[in-house]
Amino acid sequence: MSYQGTQITISLKNLKANLYYIKSKVDNTTKIMCVVKAFGYGSEPIKISKFLEKNGIDYFAVAYVNEGIVLRNSGIKLPILVLHPQIDDFDEIIKYNLEPNIYSFRILNAFIKKSKSHPFHLKFNTGLNRLGFSIDDIDKLYDILNGQGNIKFLLSHLGASEDKKEKNYTENQISLFEKISAEMENKFGISFKKHLLNTSGILNYSKFKYDMVRTGIGLYGYGNDKKFSKHLKPVLSLKSIISQIHSIKKGESVGYNRGFVAKTNCNVAIIPIGHADGISRRLGNGKVGFLIKNKIAKTVGNICMDMLMLDVTNISCKEGDEVTIIDDKVQTAEDLGEKINTISYEILTSLSSRIKRTIVNI
Ligand SMILES: *Cc1c(COP(=O)(O)O)cnc(C)c1O
């Protein structure tokens, strides 16, 4: 199959190892929800989800309804939570048997107009101040919902579960969630199932696993903490090739806006991947290097839309040789993110869908 020379490889073996590591942090009665939003964190959503479904998980989560429809159309049978539905989504949510995360009265009212029996998850805000009801909304929720709603789970979301310095904040979120849960159960006179923890929550606060945990980044091999790096294995690697090599003379320039002007004679390799593929323009001008023949070749000049240039003056290499951009050893997505003050999540999810994905079992 033809491709641009740049390839992403997805390791199912690493995915499985990560899933097992996450599972080892909770009881075997705790349900596992796998978060496959944003194209499976930039990897590939369908084959990954099918693989996870076969490996004993319980639930999927996506951000938007379209992502859930893609999973249903590919034959996924497990329940799918839609984290961020809008009022116009409910016909499709019901048609495709998706479960909405209900986070406001506006959304709740639109939803129960469509169905009073379709299952949903009820989201409370405990300090992240993103989506969710507040503890003061419980009476009104009861008035609207009493006897006519199918709340499958209560949930909230931690805002700093990876950050040791914010332990207090996280513990406050947890105790508020407990208080909300108790008030909900008291008011409604029944007990509810709950889920709270994301990956870093599972790794750092596993005691609060409740009935289910939600893992995203951990599945893909990142734990937001070097401590967990040896247990989690990056699932995605990104490689490219050298399209062409130029000998540049002292005084000549390379790339748009003459971003680089040679102080000495040098060799520059042209690589078929650019900012349109998710390699940020901020990584240009020597900010990062990629691996060629076991040596680091730094970026030269500005990153272009579809290509970038690397300094290969001191590397014996030729056109067609391999370039490693992200892998699980030399340079992870987290390492790359650190160079430009961002996180593995952004590096991974920025990788363009035009890059060919190959799924391997090793
Ligand atoms: C994205 C998301 C997750 C997954 O978080 P990770 O840090 O990737 O494990 C869990 N819960 C909610 C509400 C999310 O939006």
Side-chain angles (χ1 to χ4, degrees), residues 123-220:
K123 173 92 174 257
F124 284 90
N125 171 26
T126 51
L128 181 58
N129 288 322
R130 215 169 61 172
L131 299 178
F133 291 99
S134 102
I135 189 166
D136 302 327
D137 292 331
I138 291 177
D139 286 348
K140 191 169 165 197
L141 277 169
Y142 179 78
D143 292 342
I144 295 176
L145 276 173
N146 186 20
Q148 52 163 319
N150 184 0
I151 303 175
K152 213 164 154 188
F153 288 88
L154 306 181
L155 75 142
S156 187
H157 191 35
L158 300 177
S161 54
E162 73 292 340
D163 192 344
K164 301 275 174 318
K165 293 195 297 293
E166 297 295 356
K167 199 159 178 279
N168 248 340
Y169 166 85
T170 303
E171 284 170 355
N172 283 338
Q173 279 201 282
I174 294 169
S175 56
L176 181 53
F177 185 61
E178 302 241 300
K179 189 161 177 238
I180 287 167
S181 301
E183 276 192 29
M184 278 293 293
E185 293 183 340
N186 196 19
K187 185 86 194 175
F188 282 72
I190 46 174
S191 69
F192 291 108
K193 289 189 177 148
K194 298 159 202 109
H195 52 93
L196 174 67
L197 303 178
N198 62 342
T199 298
S200 290
I202 299 165
L203 297 175
N204 297 320
Y205 299 90
S206 63
K207 189 172 158 223
F208 303 99
K209 55 195 178 299
Y210 302 108
D211 302 281
M212 180 155 70
V213 292
R214 309 187 297 268
T215 178
I217 199 74
L219 283 176
Y220 307 99

Side-chain angles (χ1 to χ4, degrees), residues 283-341:
L283 289 164
N285 296 299
K287 192 86 183 181
V288 72
F290 301 130
L291 201 72
I292 300 174
K293 298 278 177 198
N294 273 320
K295 287 191 169 159
I296 300 291
K298 291 222 161 150
T299 53
V300 168
N302 294 315
I303 308 255
C304 310
M305 188 187 293
D306 313 305
M307 60 192 95
L308 57 83
M309 291 74 79
L310 298 175
D311 182 355
V312 293
T313 311
N314 296 315
I315 302 176
S316 90
C317 57
K318 58 182 191 311
E319 294 174 358
D321 280 352
E322 189 177 83
V323 184
T324 302
I325 298 167
I326 295 173
D327 69 356
D328 57 357
K329 296 176 205 76
V330 181
Q331 184 153 260
T332 65
E334 196 164 63
D335 298 331
L336 206 56
E338 276 169 13
K339 302 262 195 274
I340 51 173
N341 199 19

